[in-house]
């Protein structure tokens, strides 16, 4: 592989792992400057030992690295063999990415050799597996024939003329020569061994290594090779997997990163429904990731299964887990906190207590705009999105609130964020992207926003990457397994938003914009929410709040006309009502008449080429700042 290609592979792996250049250089024991030169492709032929250290530092999956398709790469299997064998699930064999088909007998023999790599498997064991104790007189000759064909397949290479002895005959048996780059079992063992080695000193790195290890599991070991399902080595590998799942879970629960281990615990619990160690940790992981009701349902199902199949109660360990979950605040699915205001369109509460909030969580949402009226349907829609996200735990929830200026998009988003403050115990981040308001300056660059967010999350200023992709990857890493609300106000384009999106469930992003941002909806699954002007009733409620119900009731027709003159836009209504409130003796009807005359005169003075736009919607006195009214 050329230096340029290796540098590109290394950089991609580093960004995927959420590591900075400083992190990788420290782990690999080299200077940041040298790493930069390698990543930029300025080193034509990097040293082999340097590449090995860097690959280990970024957790590069050597089996899938591009150099396996050609060149003198550092992680190619010995002898240049390009076959990849996978046994952690259905048995698969591929050569340079292309599947290799094998007859059943050869598949069985390969599976038997692959679960015992670099060890001698006796002919007697092979004969027992192939014929289940009823071997024909010609079994030894047949075994030699099957092994010769298997050897030709594995050692022939893409052109059929390889010279690497992948299968060797040793003392009345056979051995499969394998390295981690060519066998998923060895890659799994390599990553889990590294994770166990650093779990005390670097728990975050250990979690990452465990996660990489379990990516290789696709199901029960050799699940499509019936003759080997109950083989002692297959059973032992399966037990080792369960041991590592428990180690992974213990570490994740200790670090309060419950969500990262739920998937693996679910898979293990499905395969071993009576494994109490796995089931108990799954209950804790579900409860810790906001799914308390699911955890309690799991306990009920487990107890019923124990009664039906064993006639006993679950162990004290499982009962203790249940008691600890019941003692935790909250259940699955968020609801309005007790202080939340109800309404005909708001969902009834389904949770009585929010998660526990950390004292160090950032809380950047601006002050709520008062008074706030109406928008019950829109608030309910955001409530449903949050409830669905906490229930399903499958992806980051994203909502886009869009509409023309002065519709109250920011006011709605800020109000909802304050009401749901307790449902994001790891923090609420806010940024005004300035994407739709040229009057307040150029749109804010995503890199600048990420720098602010990372500092708020505890990253030292000198550790923040200067590259957008690196900063975005670090941001996603910090938010993994957490519950954070990210409010991005006044976005101009989807491209301005996308680098600021978390990558894991539990987090929710709320975007306001003057545009629908369809690309964010199509590519990132955002839920669009169009904001229209206030209804007649809501506009009247807002004027009542500013002017007093007695004053508006004295001039009901003029009050209704005032709402229409302002286009029923919240910002214009607030501005006009504030001016009227400062003149308690002024007539609302006279104010409306004067405003209407000014609007007509303004239109007459305009150039015909200019759009009428929002003329007059602000009422007398000009356009107020958007920050003051929260449009």
């Amino acid at each position: 592989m050329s230096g340029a290609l290796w540098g590109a592979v290394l950089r991609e792996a580093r960004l995927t792992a959420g590591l900075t250049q400083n992190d990788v250089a420290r782990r690999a024991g080299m200077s940041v400057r040298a790493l930069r030169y390698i990543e930029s492709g300025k080193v034509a032929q990097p040293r082999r030992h340097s590449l090995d250290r860097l690959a280990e530092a970024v957790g590069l999956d050597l089996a899938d690295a591009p150099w396996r398709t050609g060149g003198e790469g550092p992680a190619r299997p010995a002898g240049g063999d390009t076959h990849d064998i996978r046994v952690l699930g259905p048995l698969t064999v591929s050569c340079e990415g292309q599947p290799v088909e094998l007859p059943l007998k050869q598949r069985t023999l390969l599976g038997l050799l692959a679960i015992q790599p670099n060890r001698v498997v006796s002919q007697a064991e092979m004969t027992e597996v192939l014929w289940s104790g009823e071997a024909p007189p010609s079994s030894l000759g047949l075994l030699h024939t099957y092994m010769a064909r298997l050897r030709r397949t594995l050692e022939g290479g893409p052109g059929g003329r390889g010279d690497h002895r992948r299968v060797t005959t040793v003392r009345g048996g056979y051995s499969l020569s394998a390295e981690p780059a060519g066998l998923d079992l060895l890659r799994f063992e390599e990553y889990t061994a590294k994770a166990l080695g650093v779990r005390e000193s670097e728990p975050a790195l250990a979690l990452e290594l465990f996660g990489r290890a379990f990516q290789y599991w696709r199901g029960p070991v050799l699940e499509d090779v019936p003759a080997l399902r109950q083989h002692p080595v297959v059973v032992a590998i399966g037990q080792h997997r369960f041991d590592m799942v428990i180690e992974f879970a213990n570490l994740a629960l200790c670090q309060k990163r419950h969500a990262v281990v739920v998937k693996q615990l679910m898979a293990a619990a499905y395969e071993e429904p009576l494994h109490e160690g796995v089931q108990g940790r799954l209950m804790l992981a579900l409860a810790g990731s906001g799914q308390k009701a699911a955890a309690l349902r799991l306990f009920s199902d487990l107890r019923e299964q124990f009664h039906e199949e064993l006639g006993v109660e679950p162990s004290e360990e499982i009962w203790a887990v249940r008691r600890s979950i019941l003692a935790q605040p909250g259940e699955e699915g968020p609801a309005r906190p007790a202080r939340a205001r109800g309404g005909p369109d708001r969902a009834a509460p389904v949770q009585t207590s929010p998660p526990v909030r950390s004292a160090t969580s950032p809380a950047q949402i601006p002050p709520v705009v008062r008074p706030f009226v109406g928008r019950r349907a829109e608030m309910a829609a955001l409530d449903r999105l949050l409830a669905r996200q906490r229930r399903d735990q499958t992806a980051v929830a994203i909502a886009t609130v869009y509409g023309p200026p002065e519709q109250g998009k920011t006011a709605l988003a800020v109000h909802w964020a304050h009401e749901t403050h307790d449902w994001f115990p790891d923090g609420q981040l806010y940024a005004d992207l300035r994407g739709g308001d040229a009057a307040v300056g150029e749109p804010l660059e995503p890199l600048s926003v990420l720098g602010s967010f990372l500092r708020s999350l505890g990253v030292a200023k000198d550790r923040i990457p200067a590259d957008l992709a690196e900063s975005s990857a670090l941001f996603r890493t910090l938010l993994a397994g957490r519950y954070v609300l990210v409010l991005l106000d006044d976005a101009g384009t989807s491209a301005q938003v996308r680098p600021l999106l978390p990558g894991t469930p539990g987090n929710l992003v709320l975007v306001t914009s003057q545009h629908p941002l369809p690309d964010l909806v199509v590519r990132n699954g955002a839920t669009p929410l169009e904001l229209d002007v206030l209804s007649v009733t809501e506009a009247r409620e807002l004027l009542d709040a500013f002017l007093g119900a007695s004053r508006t009731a004295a001039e009901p027709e003029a009050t209704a006309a005032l709402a229409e003159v302002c286009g029923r836009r919240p910002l214009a209504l607030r501005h006009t009502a504030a001016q009227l409130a400062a003149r308690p003796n002024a007539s609302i009807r006279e104010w409306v008449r004067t405003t209407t005359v000014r609007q007509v005169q303004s239109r007459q003075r305009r150039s015909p080429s200019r759009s009428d736009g929002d003329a007059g919607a602000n009422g007398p006195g000009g356009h107020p700042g958007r920050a003051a009214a929260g449009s």
Side-chain angles (χ1 to χ4, degrees):
M1 177 186 289
S2 69
L5 184 54
W6 163 251
V9 171
L10 172 64
R11 184 174 183 275
E12 181 180 359
R14 177 173 61 78
L15 295 177
T16 301
L19 300 173
T20 66
Q21 290 180 331
N22 287 332
D23 294 332
V24 175
R26 176 174 52 82
R27 293 184 184 182
M30 64 172 56
S31 68
V32 176
R33 182 179 181 184
L35 174 60
R36 286 174 180 164
Y37 271 87
I38 293 175
E39 285 195 356
S40 63
K42 295 179 180 178
V43 181
Q45 293 183 332
R47 295 178 181 177
R48 175 69 176 269
H49 71 276
S50 297
L51 300 185
D52 289 340
R53 295 204 311 269
L54 288 170
E56 181 176 359
V58 300
L60 191 59
D61 182 357
L62 302 181
D64 297 326
W67 59 73
R68 287 178 55 82
T69 62
E72 296 295 330
R76 240 177 132 172
D81 184 76
T82 57
H83 285 83
D84 183 40
I85 302 170
R86 304 195 176 198
V87 298
L88 304 182
L91 175 64
T92 64
V93 184
S94 62
C95 180
E96 295 191 346
Q98 298 301 315
V100 176
E101 298 297 334
L102 293 172
L104 178 59
K105 295 294 187 183
Q106 293 180 39
R107 287 173 59 80
T108 303
L109 290 172
L110 177 59
L112 185 61
L113 290 167
I115 59 176
Q116 304 172 82
N118 305 311
R119 296 201 296 261
V120 178
V121 180
S122 69
Q123 293 178 356
E125 181 179 354
M126 291 181 168
T127 301
E128 175 68 24
V129 168
L130 286 178
W131 288 285
S132 302
E134 300 180 3
S138 60
S139 61
L140 188 58
L142 290 172
L143 176 60
H144 290 325
T145 300
Y146 295 149
M147 290 303 302
R149 292 173 181 172
L150 177 61
R151 177 180 285 141
R152 282 197 299 270
T153 300
L154 294 181
E155 298 173 3
R161 296 184 300 276
D163 57 0
H164 171 52
R165 300 293 291 180
R166 191 76 186 268
V167 179
T168 56
T169 304
V170 184
R171 298 187 302 277
Y174 296 90
S175 175
L176 176 70
S177 176
E179 296 182 359
L183 180 62
D184 59 351
L185 174 60
L186 293 180
R187 295 198 289 275
F188 173 77
E189 292 177 346
E190 181 180 53
Y191 276 121
T192 53
K194 290 180 179 178
L196 293 173
V198 300
R199 59 182 169 177
E200 299 294 338
S201 58
E202 295 185 82
L205 176 59
L207 280 177
E208 178 187 330
L209 292 169
F210 272 127
R212 287 180 174 271
F214 281 105
Q215 288 178 356
Y216 295 109
W217 279 89
R218 298 165 291 117
V221 180
L222 297 174
E223 63 177 336
D224 60 343
V225 184
L228 294 173
R229 286 176 185 165
Q230 298 303 319
H231 192 280
V233 176
V234 169
V235 174
I237 294 172
Q239 182 58 52
H240 179 62
R241 175 211 183 172
F242 276 89
D243 293 342
M244 292 300 99
V245 168
I246 290 176
E247 292 290 347
F248 186 16
N250 289 343
L251 184 60
L253 296 175
C254 182
Q255 296 295 313
K256 299 188 184 303
R257 299 285 299 278
H258 306 84
V260 302
V261 77
V262 167
K263 179 180 178 181
Q264 293 304 325
L265 285 171
M266 281 186 168
Y270 177 79
E271 294 176 25
E272 292 289 343
L274 298 181
H275 193 299
E276 291 181 287
V278 169
Q279 298 284 358
R281 287 164 177 81
L282 177 56
M283 290 168 59
L284 290 172
L286 288 171
S289 52
Q291 303 179 70
K292 184 175 178 181
L296 295 176
R297 284 197 301 270
L298 177 60
F299 170 83
S300 298
D301 293 343
L302 183 62
R303 188 183 184 194
E304 182 178 352
Q305 194 164 6
F306 264 78
H307 285 172
E308 291 180 355
E309 298 189 20
L310 304 178
V312 298
E313 287 281 342
S315 68
E316 174 57 27
E317 175 188 359
I318 297 297
W319 282 96
V321 170
R322 176 179 181 271
R323 288 193 296 270
S324 71
I325 292 173
L326 289 173
Q328 296 174 9
E331 294 180 1
E332 178 187 27
R336 316 310 310 153
R339 65 179 181 274
R341 176 173 49 81
D345 299 320
R346 301 298 291 278
V350 294
Q351 184 170 346
T352 57
S353 301
V356 177
R357 168 171 285 274
S358 168
T360 60
S361 301
Q364 300 179 348
I365 307 301
V368 70
V369 177
R370 301 287 185 186
F372 183 89
V373 302
R375 304 305 193 192
R376 296 181 182 86
E378 292 81 4
M379 293 283 286
L382 293 174
D383 290 348
R384 289 192 296 271
L385 175 65
L386 176 57
R388 185 168 63 250
Q389 185 259 2
R390 288 295 169 89
R391 181 176 63 250
D392 298 338
Q393 289 285 317
T394 56
V396 178
I398 306 171
T400 58
V401 180
Y402 69 95
E406 306 180 11
Q407 302 290 71
K409 300 181 291 295
T410 300
L412 168 66
V414 167
H415 189 78
W416 187 81
H418 277 285
E419 283 206 356
T420 57
H421 175 273
D422 292 331
W423 300 113
F424 297 97
D426 295 308
Q428 292 178 310
L429 299 170
Y430 172 85
D432 181 358
L433 303 183
R434 304 196 304 240
D437 193 350
V440 296
E442 292 295 320
L444 211 58
E445 292 295 330
L447 183 59
S448 175
V449 178
L450 285 169
S452 174
F453 283 174
L454 292 173
R455 288 192 296 274
S456 300
L457 294 169
V459 179
K461 185 177 181 180
D462 59 348
R463 299 298 300 275
I464 295 175
D467 179 80
L468 176 60
E470 294 181 34
S471 290
S472 184
L474 179 58
F475 180 64
R476 292 192 299 270
T477 299
L478 292 176
L479 264 56
R482 301 185 181 183
Y483 295 93
V484 173
L485 171 66
V486 181
L487 175 49
L488 304 175
D489 194 17
D490 197 23
T493 64
S494 298
Q496 193 182 19
V497 171
R498 192 165 287 113
L500 310 176
L501 297 178
T504 51
N507 301 295
L508 187 145
V509 181
L510 183 55
V511 184
T512 72
S513 177
Q514 296 182 21
H515 316 288
L517 304 179
D519 194 52
L520 205 63
V521 176
V522 173
R523 295 180 56 187
N524 299 93
T527 299
L529 185 62
E530 184 176 10
L531 203 62
D532 203 352
V533 297
L534 294 174
S535 67
V536 173
T537 301
E538 291 171 338
R540 175 62 181 266
E541 290 177 3
L542 186 57
L543 291 174
D544 287 348
F546 271 95
L547 303 178
S550 59
R551 185 174 179 184
T552 56
E555 297 183 79
E557 295 181 357
T559 301
L562 178 61
E564 296 304 321
V565 165
C566 294
R568 285 189 271 124
R569 293 189 174 95
L571 183 61
L573 283 167
R574 288 176 180 278
H575 180 67
T576 301
Q579 294 189 41
L580 272 169
R583 298 172 175 81
N585 297 322
S587 165
I588 298 177
R589 183 172 63 85
E590 183 61 22
W591 190 279
V592 170
R593 187 190 68 79
T594 303
T595 300
T596 304
V597 170
R598 289 178 179 174
Q599 289 180 358
V600 171
Q601 292 174 344
S602 177
R603 293 191 186 101
Q604 291 175 346
R605 287 194 299 266
R606 286 181 180 174
S607 168
S609 63
R610 292 188 60 182
S611 168
D612 184 56
D614 297 332
N618 300 320
H623 193 298
R626 62 182 294 274
S631 64

